[in-house]
Amino acid sequence: MRTVRGWFQDTAGGLPARFWYLWTGTLINRLGSFVLVFLAIYLTQERGFSASQAGLVIGLWGVGGAVGTTIGGTLADRWGRRPTLFTAQLGGAVMMLALGLARPLWAVALGALLLGAFAEAARPAFGAMMIDVVPEKDRLRAFSLNYWAINLGFASAAVLAGFAAQAGYLLLFIIDAATTLVTALIIFTRVGETRRARPVSKGAAAPTGALRTILADRVFLGFVALNLFAALIFLQHISMLPIAMGDSGLSPATYGTVIALNGVLIVVGQLFVPRLIRGRSRSHVLALAALVTGVGFGLTAFAEAAWFYGLTVLIWTLGEMLQSPSNATLIAELSPGELRGRYQGVFSLSWQIAGAAAPILGGLIREHAGNSTLWVGCAILGGAMAVAHLISGPARERRAVALRSVATPTEPVTVIEPPAPQAAEAAAISPAEPAHAN
């Protein structure tokens, strides 16, 4: 019992109360993330659109997301985390309902475009807020816990959405909008603004030169490029993997069961990852993650039976579990405080680009070079990324150390809006209580 209590304290204890409000918002939001799970089925079966029309709508969602994450990152730094996040989530809730009520193709397409923009505009602000409220020494644990909540909520949503859809697809949109709004209210009322106004020192980048600063940051852009390649591999699981399993004579239901192993493994094992990788070289962890991910997807070339596909999912999920918290802590340390939102936005943009490119590239390779070439190519790319992480890792760590030294307070720092008293927050939600880590 004492060992369990010690593990729990080591995993979830001592984190700021405001982190737990963010964590709770993440879980609630993901529990209601119904629409994206069933959007393709809704568009083709309920609305009667063709496969190409459904693809256009989903693609416009991605285009909107690319625009939204860029704007959201800028606003998070200039306007503030809280107003940006609240506005984006409020707009997302409204557009979610509008999309559910839309009927003509043009209205559905416009709704998807705007919904993608609002939904993704919230991500940089949320990421910056998470970095703001969690001390550097606790970020690995905090990001792992938040990632765990994301997967627990999303896995539960996939099951709950099936029951909700039986009562009518509009209910999916209503619940999704409601949970988004609840999340916005929790963060707006309980977390407060976290952005700090820092005096601009001589030689520091002014806000108007933020884009120029990011484009000149070769260490950061190299890290973003590596994440783009990782995303191109990873997103094959929702584009080419179901097609490959179909060619093996397996049903969509079997694909759903196999891919559910990803969420189950993360929910069961992610909380143990921080202790496993703590104190280890992040470059080595990220290299291992890339290699394991590549091997997992590469083995898909030899899969025919459901159990073999399930094995490949378990392998690349292990790589994902190693990569996610290491990525999150590293991007936090590579982001200058005054440009944190915009750095988060550029990093998120790599996922948006991969979301649009992965199915296109995967389809072209599969069509012209064959199924095996696609998956073996993923393995080769994963190996190349592992080498790239080992080579570029020392430069990233030097940059992180340099930014930490600059961020060390040597002069007064003005807080734009003071946070709520810690005593009141601790009374409202205690991070030491087991209920907050469920």
Side-chain angles (χ1 to χ4, degrees), residues 326-343:
S326 301
N327 259 7
T329 56
L330 189 53
I331 196 66
E333 294 186 32
L334 292 177
S335 306
E338 66 276 9
L339 301 178
R340 188 166 285 161
R342 275 166 278 201
Y343 267 68

Side-chain angles (χ1 to χ4, degrees), residues 251-418:
S251 68
T254 303
Y255 165 74
T257 301
V258 167
I259 206 64
L261 294 172
N262 171 257
V264 171
L265 182 57
I266 291 174
V267 169
V268 172
Q270 188 66 43
L271 295 182
F272 297 93
V273 171
R275 293 190 68 175
L276 179 65
I277 65 177
R278 183 184 302 155
R280 301 184 185 277
S281 166
R282 273 185 302 208
S283 301
H284 292 171
V285 172
L286 287 171
L288 178 61
L291 187 62
V292 172
T293 301
V295 169
F297 278 97
L299 287 174
T300 309
F302 309 100
E304 289 293 336
W307 70 267
F308 202 141
Y309 280 107
L311 177 63
T312 67
V313 170
L314 291 176
I315 292 173
W316 57 253
T317 298
L318 292 174
E320 180 190 357
M321 292 167 66
L322 292 172
Q323 180 196 40
S324 180
S326 301
N327 259 7
T329 56
L330 189 53
I331 196 66
E333 294 186 32
L334 292 177
S335 306
E338 66 276 9
L339 301 178
R340 188 166 285 161
R342 275 166 278 201
Y343 267 68
Q344 289 281 326
V346 172
F347 184 74
S348 297
L349 188 60
S350 65
W351 281 101
Q352 303 303 318
I353 294 174
I360 297 174
L361 292 176
L364 289 174
I365 294 173
R366 196 173 185 277
E367 180 179 349
H368 295 288
N371 181 67
S372 296
T373 302
L374 170 64
W375 303 115
V376 172
C378 287
I380 294 174
L381 182 57
M385 287 172 51
V387 174
H389 275 300
L390 294 175
I391 294 174
S392 60
R396 290 197 299 258
E397 296 301 331
R398 288 194 298 270
R399 174 62 58 82
V401 170
L403 287 175
R404 276 199 298 270
S405 64
V406 172
T408 301
T410 56
E411 51 188 357
V413 176
T414 303
V415 181
I416 291 179
E417 182 177 1

Side-chain angles (χ1 to χ4, degrees), residues 7-359:
W7 168 83
F8 176 79
Q9 180 64 28
D10 191 49
T11 302
L15 291 169
R18 289 189 291 175
F19 162 76
W20 290 110
Y21 287 118
L22 292 170
W23 183 92
T24 302
T26 294
L27 182 60
I28 292 174
N29 194 23
R30 290 292 176 167
L31 282 171
S33 57
F34 291 168
V35 170
L36 192 56
V37 178
F38 275 73
L39 185 58
I41 298 174
Y42 167 76
L43 293 173
T44 54
Q45 296 185 8
E46 183 72 8
R47 294 272 68 86
F49 295 150
S50 66
S52 60
Q53 290 172 327
L56 171 65
V57 171
I58 297 173
L60 286 174
W61 183 315
V63 171
V67 175
T69 194
T70 304
I71 296 175
T74 301
L75 290 178
D77 286 335
R78 292 188 176 183
W79 191 22
R81 325 298 198 211
R82 185 169 72 161
T84 299
L85 188 60
F86 184 75
T87 302
Q89 292 189 316
L90 181 62
V94 171
M95 292 313 305
M96 185 69 70
L97 291 175
L99 181 61
L101 295 172
R103 291 297 178 266
L105 177 60
W106 69 266
V108 173
L110 179 61
L113 177 70
L114 294 176
L115 178 57
F118 278 113
E120 296 303 324
R123 290 186 185 274
F126 183 91
M129 188 174 277
M130 183 77 74
I131 298 170
D132 292 340
V133 304
V134 178
E136 180 185 335
K137 63 183 179 63
D138 294 324
R139 284 174 185 162
L140 179 61
R141 294 190 299 134
F143 285 125
S144 293
L145 286 166
N146 194 65
Y147 186 62
W148 183 82
I150 288 172
N151 282 276
L152 175 62
F154 191 77
S156 301
V159 177
L160 296 174
F163 292 105
Q166 295 177 5
Y169 279 97
L170 181 59
L171 183 60
L172 300 180
F173 292 90
I174 294 174
I175 296 177
D176 206 329
T179 54
T180 300
L181 186 58
V182 169
T183 299
L185 291 174
I186 289 174
I187 295 175
F188 187 81
T189 59
R190 303 306 304 174
V191 178
E193 180 56 71
T194 63
R195 180 174 65 101
R196 293 175 179 267
R198 294 173 173 81
V200 179
S201 58
K202 185 177 180 180
T208 54
L211 179 60
R212 189 161 55 248
T213 299
I214 295 174
L215 292 178
D217 193 341
R218 291 182 294 178
V219 172
F220 171 73
L221 292 181
F223 181 60
V224 172
L226 286 176
N227 186 72
L228 172 61
F229 288 125
L232 287 173
I233 297 174
F234 179 72
L235 292 177
Q236 297 302 325
H237 81 282
I238 58 175
S239 56
M240 295 299 108
L241 181 59
I243 296 176
M245 291 183 66
D247 288 350
S248 297
L250 302 174
S251 68
T254 303
Y255 165 74
T257 301
V258 167
I259 206 64
L261 294 172
N262 171 257
V264 171
L265 182 57
I266 291 174
V267 169
V268 172
Q270 188 66 43
L271 295 182
F272 297 93
V273 171
R275 293 190 68 175
L276 179 65
I277 65 177
R278 183 184 302 155
R280 301 184 185 277
S281 166
R282 273 185 302 208
S283 301
H284 292 171
V285 172
L286 287 171
L288 178 61
L291 187 62
V292 172
T293 301
V295 169
F297 278 97
L299 287 174
T300 309
F302 309 100
E304 289 293 336
W307 70 267
F308 202 141
Y309 280 107
L311 177 63
T312 67
V313 170
L314 291 176
I315 292 173
W316 57 253
T317 298
L318 292 174
E320 180 190 357
M321 292 167 66
L322 292 172
Q323 180 196 40
S324 180
S326 301
N327 259 7
T329 56
L330 189 53
I331 196 66
E333 294 186 32
L334 292 177
S335 306
E338 66 276 9
L339 301 178
R340 188 166 285 161
R342 275 166 278 201
Y343 267 68
Q344 289 281 326
V346 172
F347 184 74
S348 297
L349 188 60
S350 65
W351 281 101
Q352 303 303 318
I353 294 174

